[in-house]
Each structure stands twice: as structure tokens, then as C-alpha cells.
Amino acid sequence: VVQYIVGVDVGATYTRVGLFSPEGTLVEKVSFGTPRVGGELAVALAIARAIEELLSRWGGSLSSIGVGTVGPLDITSGDVVGAPNVPIGRFKIREPLERLFGVDVYVVNDCVAAAWAEYLVGAGRGFRNVVYVTISTGIGGGAVVDGHLLLGKDGNAHEIGHIVLDLSGRFRCGCGGLGHWEAIASGANIPRTLEVLAREWRGEATEAYTRALGGNLNPEELFRLWRVGDRFAEFAVDFLAEVNAAGIASVINVYDPEVLTVGGSIALRNPDFVEISAARVGNYLINRKPSISLTPLGDDVVLVGAALISIKLPRELLEVVRGASRT
Ligand SMILES: [Zn+2]
């Protein structure tokens, strides 16, 4: 009987569940919209249904489950506490999945899982200092420093999306804070940022400007209009690239990585935008510039990392798990 590993990526918008061989090869993945209504068990139950579906198709049994989830996290309980981009802000993951499947379940921040994947099998393979940054619905990161996976007291050592990059008071974050990187440049907040920029715009009334002023210019349309030369879109993308450059540089200044990779839907769909942002980090750096590239693992980086967390358990997580009372 094959003993499969399950990797789960709980994103703000989509949840992906993958069945992996014991060696970590992806067998099949399914995805669904992350539940937006329901109680603290809704997300875990949706994950459980997807696992059952995969197991019924492939047979075999489960040996462990690794989960990378939007944060913030209580890493000792395996609960998500107050996620700014998920309507069910608080929900349980580890306890219900352990109860339903009777296997060990390891829960980490999604970008921690991604950093672990990058370090073991991605662009960071062979390096000891690897940072992963996601630019998606939210902005987040994970870091391996001197070969150590950084976790923090609650598993939130690298909430880099909440680095403060603006002091003007114009950008309020989903977490409640002011001027956070994510408040300005994440997918969820770009439409509001564009509205702020449109109110200050003194140039011509372009299509992007008019739509931004109405608060309904989404990132996809912004980048489309940017590519066809809309002047307001050029101004806005320039501003967002500068913000991302400052954010990425701040992360490099703190963790001093050899390799920094970028993933997440906004980045993966707009490699040219990432390139412009990366080219500007020099304006804000003190540390030696690392290699900066898109993650070679693409959309699967968190899923693969989540599976790898449970296959090659980081000793830092083992210490946390041992320290907490587990049944
Ligand atoms: Zn914030």
C-alpha cells in the first residue's frame, strides 16, 4: 500500500490540495475557492473533502499532511488567527485534520513552506541563505538564514508584507496598520491605491485614470493598460514598482540572502513588472545584491513546500511541535 503525503496551500483566494509520493513527487492536485463563509472548521472540512476525493481516486493511505497557509498563525495550535484577506479570519487547521485522518499534520505560514521548497528543490538549492517573497492577494515572505528556517514565537517571523513603507497615512492595511507594503501593492489593495493616486493625478484623463478614480481598476486591467501605453497606468505601475523595490530591498537588508525568489499571482503573471521592480532595489540597499528571480516552482511553490515540510521536517518546527503538548 502506497503511503502518500498530502501538501496543502491555503491561499486567500484559492486552496490547493496535492497528493505526493513518499519521495515528494506530485501525483495529482485539486483546487477550490477558499471558503468565505462558515465557522472555524469550514476550511479544514473543505480540505478534508479534497483529500478524501484524491485518496478515493488513487487508493493507498496517508502518512502525514503538511499545510502552508495564509497567516498570521498560531504555530503551536496550528490555527490561523485573524487573516486580513480571508473573510473567515480565524480558523482551525491542524486539530480537525489530525482528528479526521489520524496522522501528523504540520502547519506553517504559506511563505515559510515556499521558502523551504525553494531552499530544498528550487532556485535556492545549494545555498544557505534563501528568501521567498510573494506578491499576490497579500504580500508575504519566508526565509532560510544560515540554513535555519525562520519561524518566530508564533510562526510569523517574516510578515514582510507589513513592513512600513509609507508614512503619509494614505494607505490603510487590511490588518489595521498604516503604510504597510501590502496596503499599497498587494492585489487586494491595488484598486484602492490606484484610487488614491488618481485623486492626486494632474495629467490627462486616460481610461486607466477614469476607472481608477471610480475605485474599480483591478491589477489585471492596470497591467493591460500599462502595456498599451496608458499614461496614468504608466505612472501607477512606476509607483508600484518603486514600492516593491523598497520592500524587496528592506527584506534583503534584514536577511542578507544569496538567492531571493518572487512568486504569487501578480508576480507570476507580470514578469516584466517584477524585472522593473528588481532593477530598482539598488536605490535602497546596503547589503550586497543577491540573485533575484521568479520562482522556478511557479504556482506550486507553496504546495510543494507544504509537502516537503512534512517529508523533511525542519528541526526548527520539530522543536516547536515538541514544545507544545500533542495528542
Ligand atoms: Zn498590515
Side-chain angles (χ1 to χ4, degrees), residues 162 173 175 180:
H162 306 269
C173 191
C175 75
H180 294 177

Side-chain angles (χ1 to χ4, degrees), residues 119-273:
Y119 174 64
L120 291 177
V121 302
R125 204 168 169 171
F127 295 96
R128 285 170 57 77
N129 299 281
V130 179
V131 167
Y132 172 80
V133 173
T134 183
I135 304 176
S136 187
T137 309
I139 289 176
V144 175
V145 178
D146 300 328
H148 292 279
L149 183 65
L150 300 186
L151 294 176
K153 69 184 187 310
D154 295 319
N156 307 314
H158 24 62
E159 282 286 357
I160 61 167
H162 306 269
I163 288 174
V164 178
L165 293 182
D166 176 87
L167 300 177
S168 71
R170 292 176 298 167
F171 305 103
R172 172 79 67 183
C173 191
C175 75
L178 276 176
H180 294 177
W181 182 4
E182 171 172 311
I184 308 169
S186 75
N189 293 318
I190 281 177
R192 213 189 32 195
T193 295
L194 297 174
E195 193 180 337
V196 170
L197 296 179
R199 277 200 225 105
E200 297 164 2
W201 174 246
R202 296 291 168 260
E204 58 188 294
T206 68
E207 182 186 351
Y209 162 79
T210 308
R211 292 174 60 180
L213 202 59
N216 51 26
L217 182 56
N218 63 32
E220 196 184 333
E221 282 297 291
L222 169 70
F223 287 112
R224 186 184 68 76
L225 290 165
W226 170 56
R227 292 193 184 94
V228 299
D230 182 292
R231 299 296 286 275
F232 175 77
E234 284 176 351
F235 164 74
V237 168
D238 188 69
F239 174 81
L240 292 171
E242 203 65 35
V243 168
N244 285 336
I248 290 169
S250 299
V251 173
I252 294 167
N253 289 343
V254 172
Y255 295 129
D256 197 13
E258 285 136 329
V259 172
L260 183 146
T261 63
V262 186
S265 57
I266 300 251
L268 294 172
R269 284 177 202 157
N270 303 287
D272 44 359
F273 173 58

Side-chain angles (χ1 to χ4, degrees), residues 17-140:
V17 179
L19 200 63
F20 289 78
S21 74
E23 298 76 37
T25 305
L26 181 60
V27 175
E28 191 191 346
K29 64 177 170 180
V30 294
S31 73
F32 51 89
T34 302
R36 303 182 71 78
V37 293
E40 61 177 16
L41 295 177
V43 175
L45 292 176
I47 292 168
R49 276 194 298 276
I51 295 173
E52 298 284 8
E53 181 192 325
L54 286 167
L55 284 178
S56 71
R57 261 207 297 281
W58 290 91
S61 62
L62 269 192
S63 62
S64 63
I65 301 173
V67 182
T69 176
V70 288
L73 191 67
D74 176 344
I75 200 165
T76 52
S77 68
D79 295 347
V80 172
V81 292
N85 300 312
V86 182
I88 313 174
R90 281 190 87 91
F91 49 93
K92 291 183 175 299
I93 296 178
R94 195 177 85 195
E95 189 268 320
L97 290 179
E98 283 193 338
R99 190 157 36 78
L100 286 167
F101 293 100
V103 297
D104 284 336
V105 179
Y106 301 100
V107 182
V108 295
N109 177 283
D110 50 2
C111 292
V112 169
W116 196 235
E118 211 68 84
Y119 174 64
L120 291 177
V121 302
R125 204 168 169 171
F127 295 96
R128 285 170 57 77
N129 299 281
V130 179
V131 167
Y132 172 80
V133 173
T134 183
I135 304 176
S136 187
T137 309
I139 289 176

